[in-house]
Amino acid sequence: MKTTRQYITDTFRNLVLFTLPLVAAQQILQFDIDIYLSLLIGIAFGILEAWILWKWTFPWVGEIVSGFFYSSHSNAGEDIEVEAARQLEQAGDIPGACRILEHYAETHKGFMRAWDMYISFLIDPMEDYVRAIEVLEKCSRSRRWNREDRAFFLYRIGKIYKTRLNRPDKAAAYWRETAKRYPKTAFGREAANKL
């Protein structure tokens, strides 16, 4: 069964492949030489263009489009992993739950729930604030997240400094950066209110 990402990528490929004969016909009409030679040149250019589009352009554009629409949404695999981590947490195996979430988050980029739960476990009950800040910093710099998600990561670093490490100066610095870089996001506005 196709995932939504595969469906979008395939649809985009089919749409562009539908237009390739039109591009080839346009190439043929641009040459004022023998019609057979024009036809061969047009077909050659069409095949070359199709190969370039199929090999490099379609996968790249499909990833961008599907990443834009589905970057922060959950999927069935994430639900299973999050539930497994929740069961380990209830059994008292927080490090095991963190391992599951960290592995899933690293191998399935862009799904927010696994990252959020992993960071929450690092903060409380593990109280590994240094590791939580490292993960949040890494996520805030990654372009795979949309602006709202990156603002959330920066805002959360400020919250750790304020509430857990009692460093209001560092918290204010992160909230200032969040408000400056992402002023039109919900977390950018919230950070501005905290200053």
Side-chain angles (χ1 to χ4, degrees), residues 62-131:
E63 287 294 318
I64 289 173
V65 169
S66 61
F68 175 77
F69 287 112
Y70 299 102
S71 66
S72 292
H73 301 288
S74 66
N75 67 5
E78 183 181 34
D79 292 339
I80 292 168
E81 298 296 326
V82 166
E83 185 56 36
R86 191 163 280 131
Q87 288 176 1
L88 283 175
E89 174 200 19
Q90 290 170 354
D93 186 8
I94 302 300
C98 283
R99 282 192 299 276
I100 286 176
L101 292 168
E102 182 179 25
H103 175 73
Y104 185 82
E106 285 293 333
T107 56
H108 297 81
K109 311 275 187 202
F111 294 108
M112 178 62 93
R113 260 183 38 183
W115 281 104
D116 188 38
M117 191 174 197
Y118 173 53
I119 293 163
S120 295
F121 283 167
L122 288 175
I123 294 170
D124 188 35
M126 293 187 69
E127 298 182 356
D128 190 352
Y129 306 126
V130 172
R131 177 70 180 137

Side-chain angles (χ1 to χ4, degrees), residues 132-191:
I133 290 170
E134 287 173 1
V135 171
L136 288 164
E137 282 277 359
K138 180 181 172 184
C139 290
S140 72
R141 289 189 304 269
S142 175
R143 292 288 176 203
R144 75 169 173 254
W145 300 102
N146 63 37
R147 297 176 64 77
E148 190 70 46
D149 294 338
R150 290 195 304 264
F152 165 75
F153 292 131
L154 282 176
Y155 176 84
R156 192 137 185 215
I157 294 171
K159 192 172 177 184
I160 291 171
Y161 275 115
K162 176 78 173 173
T163 61
R164 302 298 179 141
L165 298 175
N166 198 22
R167 295 281 311 273
D169 56 326
K170 293 284 276 184
Y174 275 98
W175 287 337
R176 213 174 352 272
E177 182 181 355
T178 307
K180 181 180 176 185
R181 287 175 57 187
Y182 308 108
K184 295 182 179 179
T185 65
F187 288 102
R189 290 189 294 274
E190 182 65 25

